[in-house]
Each structure stands twice: as C-alpha cells, then as structure tokens.
Amino acid sequence: MTAFLKIDGKEHEAKCTFRFSKLADKKYSKKKEKESDPDNGFGSIFGGLIEFDNNALVAFWDCALDYSPKDKPKIEEIEAALEARFEEDGGTEDVFKEAFRAVDESAFFGKQVQKYWKNVELMKDYGSNEEEKEKHKKMYDHMVAARKEIED
C-alpha cells in the first residue's frame, strides 16, 4: 500500500527507506519512561499511528518524504496538507490507515513490524506480580483493539 499526500498541487509518495529510519531516530526517538515505551523513532511513530496521534502522522510524513531532501516539503506544508485532507475526507481515519499500511506492508520495516507485534504479544503475560500482570494485560488488550481498528 502506498500513501500519497498532495502538497501545493503535487502528489508526494511516502517511502520507507534508510533516510526515513535515520530521521525517525534522530528527531522522533523518545526517552523511555516505562518498559513498554519505544526506544527508537520507528517505534514511536508506528505506535503513534496505531493510537491515531496527529503528531505521529506528521512525523511519519516528515520521515516518509525525506528520500528527496531538496524537494521535501516543510513541516508546516505537511501539516497544512494533512489538515486539507482531513477536511476533504471528513476526518482523519483514512489518512492514518494509509500511513499505517505504508509502514506495516513495507519491505524495509517488515522485520521491525513483526518484532513490534511480537513484543506486544509478550506483554499479555508480563509482570512480576498479579497487579503488574493485570496492568500489562490491559495494555495488551488495548493494543490488540487499536491494531484491529486501524487495520479495518
């Protein structure tokens, strides 16, 4: 699945490349505050897309358009194009689903996506006591439901 974003009348194709990965790590890695937090840019963006986080959507497009630095739109142009698309589509759902599929189905991020979901799967039984296990099971259930929603 390829995702496109129209900026100033030009269709821009999202690409999952080394430049995407490097920029994601450089600009969008988050400091781990808890064990389940991603520690790289890819995990932050991918997890944010699943949660329908608008900032993650902007980050996705920032990274996905980095393959051509001289022609790359500015963040403000990406945001304006996304807002226009939200208005055109009557919401954000389609844009998020396209971005998610672009990453989820990309050959470049294939193994990372598999690892991401494998780690989510491990979450359901994780914890040193019943309280922790219950908390992680709730997080697991939330992630499974979020995945189902974005894949539909």
Side-chain angles (χ1 to χ4, degrees):
M1 169 84 193
T2 304
F4 289 92
L5 187 62
K6 191 178 221 172
I7 301 174
D8 292 330
K10 181 181 176 188
E11 290 280 331
H12 293 268
E13 180 182 1
K15 293 186 181 180
C16 296
T17 64
F18 282 108
R19 289 187 65 89
F20 181 117
S21 184
K22 287 177 184 177
L23 184 61
D25 285 345
K26 181 179 178 183
K27 284 181 72 174
Y28 300 106
S29 290
K30 294 180 182 175
K31 182 179 178 191
K32 288 182 86 140
E33 294 179 15
K34 56 186 181 233
E35 187 60 34
S36 62
D37 287 346
D39 60 357
N40 62 40
F42 165 79
S44 296
I45 292 170
F46 192 66
L49 291 175
I50 294 164
E51 294 291 327
F52 291 89
D53 179 331
N54 289 331
N55 291 324
L57 187 61
V58 172
F60 164 81
W61 279 105
D62 184 27
C63 295
L65 298 178
D66 200 52
Y67 60 88
S68 183
K70 65 180 178 134
D71 298 325
K72 182 180 173 186
K74 295 180 175 98
I75 293 287
E76 295 79 16
E77 294 171 311
I78 292 170
E79 291 170 341
L82 287 169
E83 288 171 3
R85 177 77 189 276
F86 297 162
E87 290 297 317
E88 181 183 312
D89 291 353
T92 63
E93 189 171 338
D94 290 342
V95 181
F96 273 98
K97 287 182 177 188
E98 288 171 14
F100 173 82
R101 282 189 212 108
V103 175
D104 190 52
E105 297 172 4
S106 77
F108 187 84
F109 285 121
K111 284 294 184 187
Q112 285 177 281
V113 168
Q114 285 178 337
K115 183 179 178 189
Y116 184 93
W117 292 118
K118 184 178 179 182
N119 287 340
V120 167
E121 191 66 30
L122 293 172
M123 204 185 299
K124 69 180 175 185
D125 299 319
Y126 184 76
S128 59
N129 59 45
E130 286 306 311
E131 184 179 328
E132 277 187 13
K133 286 180 181 180
E134 184 178 324
K135 178 180 155 188
H136 285 104
K137 176 73 166 85
K138 284 181 183 178
M139 288 174 27
Y140 166 79
D141 291 341
H142 172 76
M143 292 301 294
V144 169
R147 181 181 187 181
K148 183 176 177 7
E149 181 179 358
I150 202 159
E151 286 181 335
D152 287 342

